Amino acid sequence: MINSKTISRTVKDLCIEANLKLRPDVVKALKSSLRKETSSKGRNLLSILLENCSIAKNERIPLCQDTGMTVVFADVGQDARIQGDLTSAINKGVAAGYKQGFLRKSIVADPLIRKNTETNTPAMIYYDIVPGKKLKLTVLPKGFGSENKSKLYMLNPTAGYDAVVNSILKAVKEAGPDACPPYVVGVGIGGDAAKACYLAKKALTKPVNFLSDKPHFRKMAKELLAKGNKLNIGPLGAGGNTTLLGVNILSMPTHIAGLPVAVNISCHSLRSAHKSL
Ligand code: SF4
C-alpha cells in the first residue's frame, strides 16, 4: 500500500531537489560543450552557467528565478495500491515543496483573471498506467520562457523526413536567443496533436544524450544536433557553436492522414528529478 503522505513527501522533496540541483547529465553536457565551444564569449557564458549550478547546489538556492510550472509524470503500476487521492497528494507535495524550498510560485488560477494561487498548484499531471505495482513520480519544473517556444506542426502525411527535420529546426530558429540557450529539444512525432505534445515534453525527462529509441529517429536527432549547432545562436544567444545540448525524439503510431510533430524546448536549466515508490 502506498500512503498518500509518502506521495506528498516524495513530491515535495523532488520539487526542491529538481530546482536546486541541475541534473548530472545536463551538467556533463554543459562541461563537454565548454571544451568544444569556439567562441570566447560563448565559453565565458558556459562557465558562468556552470558556476551558477555550483552556487545553487552549494548554497541551496534555486538555479533560476523561474522555478517553473510543476509538471509531474506519474507512472502508476496497474497493481499498485494507493491509499487516498493521488492527484491531491501530488498537489499537496508541490505546495509544500514550493513553500519549504522558497521557490517562486508562478501559477495563476485563471488564464485571464490571473490571480496567483500562491501554492504553485495545480501541477500539470500526466498519468500513465504501466505494468507492476510501483508508482514512479517524475517532477519536471518547466520554466515558461522555454515553454512559450513550444510548437505543434500538423504536417502532410507524405511530408517525409526532411520536412520533419526542417520543422524542428524552424522551431529552434524561432526560439533564437529568447529561451536561454543552449537548449535541449524534446520532440514528439506521431499520435494525435495532444499526444505528440505530451511525447515532446516527456522526451525532456530522458537523458540529454538519449537521442531516440528507434534507429531512424536516432539518425534524425544526430542530424538536428549538427544542424542546430551551426545556427550560431550560441550560449544565451551570444553566438557560438553551442546552441543545442541535446535532441530527444519519442514517437508513436499515427493516422494515415497526418504527421504530427511537436517540439518542446528546454533552456539550459533542464530540471527534473524522479523516484519510485
Ligand atoms: S528559460 Fe530557463 S533559464 Fe531562462 S528564465 Fe526561464 S527557466 Fe530560467
Side-chain angles (χ1 to χ4, degrees):
M1 175 81 79
I2 307 171
N3 188 291
S4 59
K5 285 206 172 108
T6 309
I7 294 168
S8 298
R9 199 180 330 111
T10 302
V11 170
K12 177 195 77 173
D13 293 344
L14 292 174
C15 289
I16 296 173
E17 184 191 331
N19 268 295
L20 270 48
K21 278 196 245 159
L22 196 61
R23 280 172 25 181
D25 58 317
V26 182
V27 175
K28 199 170 160 199
L30 283 169
K31 284 184 178 164
S32 153
S33 299
L34 179 59
R35 288 192 292 275
K36 292 185 218 147
E37 178 56 62
T38 48
S39 136
S40 61
K41 212 189 254 180
R43 280 197 303 278
N44 186 30
L45 287 164
L46 286 169
S47 304
I48 292 171
L49 295 182
L50 283 161
E51 190 188 354
N52 180 62
C53 300
S54 304
I55 294 171
K57 189 170 143 196
N58 297 335
E59 299 190 16
R60 296 198 58 77
I61 50 176
L63 285 149
C64 179
Q65 43 76 34
D66 187 351
T67 51
M69 176 172 246
T70 316
V71 178
V72 179
F73 293 97
D75 295 337
V76 187
Q78 63 183 13
D79 300 318
R81 290 191 61 209
I82 292 163
Q83 176 267 319
D85 177 346
L86 179 54
T87 301
S88 97
I90 291 173
N91 278 314
K92 271 186 193 159
V94 171
Y98 275 68
K99 186 171 183 210
Q100 191 177 312
F102 300 102
L103 308 174
R104 193 184 81 187
K105 290 103 186 156
S106 309
I107 306 307
V108 292
D110 181 286
L112 285 184
I113 299 168
R114 304 201 76 82
K115 187 173 178 336
N116 199 306
T117 64
E118 306 290 351
T119 55
N120 220 54
T121 63
M124 299 296 113
I125 310 174
Y126 298 94
Y127 292 105
D128 263 322
I129 304 298
V130 299
K133 50 182 171 185
K134 294 206 165 220
L135 168 66
K136 182 179 175 191
L137 295 162
T138 303
V139 169
L140 174 85
K142 189 67 168 56
F144 249 58
S146 60
E147 186 68 6
N148 282 336
K149 302 299 170 188
S150 305
K151 296 282 181 207
L152 172 66
Y153 304 101
M154 299 303 284
L155 299 182
N156 189 300
T158 55
Y161 182 99
D162 288 344
V164 173
V165 168
N166 290 338
S167 301
I168 299 164
L169 277 176
K170 185 169 171 243
V172 174
K173 275 186 217 161
E174 283 179 18
D178 296 352
C180 307
Y183 300 133
V184 181
V185 184
V187 181
I189 303 177
D192 60 3
K195 205 76 168 183
C197 290
Y198 159 80
L199 289 177
K201 185 159 279 165
K202 185 140 193 176
L204 295 177
T205 65
K206 302 281 182 196
V208 174
N209 61 358
F210 167 76
L211 298 171
S212 179
D213 48 2
K214 300 196 177 104
H216 58 304
F217 287 128
R218 285 181 76 81
K219 176 177 171 274
M220 181 182 281
K222 284 183 188 167
E223 184 177 331
L224 282 160
L225 266 175
K227 288 186 171 164
N229 280 328
K230 285 193 187 124
L231 294 174
N232 198 33
I233 297 170
L236 299 181
N241 57 349
T242 312
T243 295
L244 303 182
L245 294 176
V247 177
N248 287 346
I249 302 177
L250 291 176
S251 66
M252 67 181 304
T254 190
H255 191 278
I256 50 170
L259 174 46
V261 177
V263 179
N264 197 284
I265 288 179
S266 169
C267 60
H268 65 274
S269 200
L270 170 53
R271 295 152 288 179
S272 70
H274 59 87
K275 187 167 182 182
S276 290
L277 298 172

